[in-house]
Amino acid sequence: METVLEAATKEANGTVAEKKPTVVFVLGGPGSGKGTQCANIVQHFGYTHLSAGDLLRAEIKSGSENGTMIQNMIKEGKIVPSEVTIKLLQRAMAESGNDKFLIDGFPRNEENRAAFEDVTKIEPAFVLFFDCSEEEMERRLLSRNQGREDDNIETIRKRFKVFLESSLPVIEHYNSREKVRKIDAASPVEEVFESVKVVFTSKDEKAV
């Protein structure tokens, strides 16, 4: 018997693939300002912002069977399988009614990337890469008062290391296909968004 999620995903799969949506992967280290810029892109260009981490957290919160499985994996320090995250992304894409998506914090590694293209049959239009020095990201993370437990210097450095080791191969892969749009994320927020606008406008996006 297939689970409700599997049935919904099958349906979502068909719907999402048929629509041939525009997908933009948003990558950048912790503290590179991805979230802020995604909110700006949503407002100006009508994209739907999907954060892989938020979808996983929401699924855990829902108390579903799938959510419990995800929670147990995270507790045990295991990486949630690509397929699980991809199913959640597909379901959110199908439910959104939109055909333009910013996928934030995914793919985290080469395996995620290959699985996403394989399962969804979708290649991103491009990858928006927020390039920021470790010093600047560290400064930002330490100064933001969100009370996040993971914002201490040791954990921050571990997160940088993981980002570099796992995400750089993804960036290199898309770079070789001329799909990476690199943004200097060290500038003030407004200046960064000016650079972002250039990327989206040159993609023939119409501001909403």
Side-chain angles (χ1 to χ4, degrees):
M1 277 290 288
E2 64 181 6
T3 65
V4 178
L5 179 66
E6 280 164 353
T9 305
K10 250 187 212 166
E11 201 177 310
N13 246 350
T15 326
V16 169
E18 277 159 32
K19 275 189 182 170
K20 285 274 171 275
T22 299
V23 167
V24 174
F25 287 146
V26 183
L27 297 175
S32 59
K34 295 195 311 283
T36 306
Q37 297 302 334
C38 282
N40 285 337
I41 297 164
V42 167
Q43 210 179 339
H44 282 76
F45 296 103
Y47 276 68
T48 293
H49 176 208
L50 300 175
S51 153
D54 286 353
L55 289 173
L56 288 168
R57 283 187 284 276
E59 191 66 22
I60 291 170
K61 228 178 180 171
S62 75
S64 69
E65 202 179 314
N66 203 41
T68 309
M69 182 264 293
I70 294 167
Q71 189 170 25
N72 291 338
M73 293 196 76
I74 292 171
K75 265 189 197 153
E76 288 164 25
K78 292 179 182 164
I79 289 174
V80 178
S82 297
E83 281 69 21
V84 172
T85 310
I86 293 164
K87 277 178 186 174
L88 293 174
L89 285 165
Q90 283 178 304
R91 190 173 67 182
M93 285 163 86
E95 285 170 358
S96 78
N98 200 351
D99 61 353
K100 303 193 297 188
F101 301 94
L102 298 173
I103 296 185
D104 170 12
F106 187 92
R108 281 183 180 272
N109 53 38
E110 263 294 278
E111 193 265 330
N112 277 176
R113 179 200 66 72
F116 182 87
E117 290 188 12
D118 190 43
V119 172
T120 64
K121 305 289 180 268
I122 296 168
E123 260 201 51
F126 58 89
V127 175
L128 197 60
F129 173 41
F130 288 103
D131 191 27
C132 197
S133 71
E134 277 196 32
E135 294 74 28
E136 178 59 21
M137 290 193 283
E138 202 171 281
R139 191 188 64 71
R140 289 177 183 179
L141 290 174
L142 290 171
S143 66
R144 72 177 184 191
N145 293 319
Q146 291 183 348
R148 280 182 56 164
E149 298 159 24
D150 54 358
D151 283 354
N152 65 61
I153 199 85
E154 219 166 280
T155 318
I156 285 168
R157 287 187 179 154
K158 262 188 209 150
R159 285 165 68 203
F160 287 154
K161 191 166 179 283
V162 167
F163 170 74
L164 284 172
E165 285 171 0
S166 52
S167 298
L168 280 184
V170 176
I171 292 160
E172 278 159 13
H173 169 85
Y174 286 120
N175 208 15
S176 69
R177 308 179 75 141
E178 298 183 347
K179 284 195 171 206
V180 175
R181 307 291 178 266
K182 191 160 142 182
I183 302 285
D184 175 7
S187 312
V189 173
E190 296 76 15
E191 282 176 35
V192 174
F193 189 53
E194 285 308 313
S195 308
V196 169
K197 274 202 281 202
V198 170
V199 170
F200 280 85
T201 311
S202 64
K203 199 203 149 295
D204 299 320
E205 286 297 347
K206 303 287 174 280
V208 292

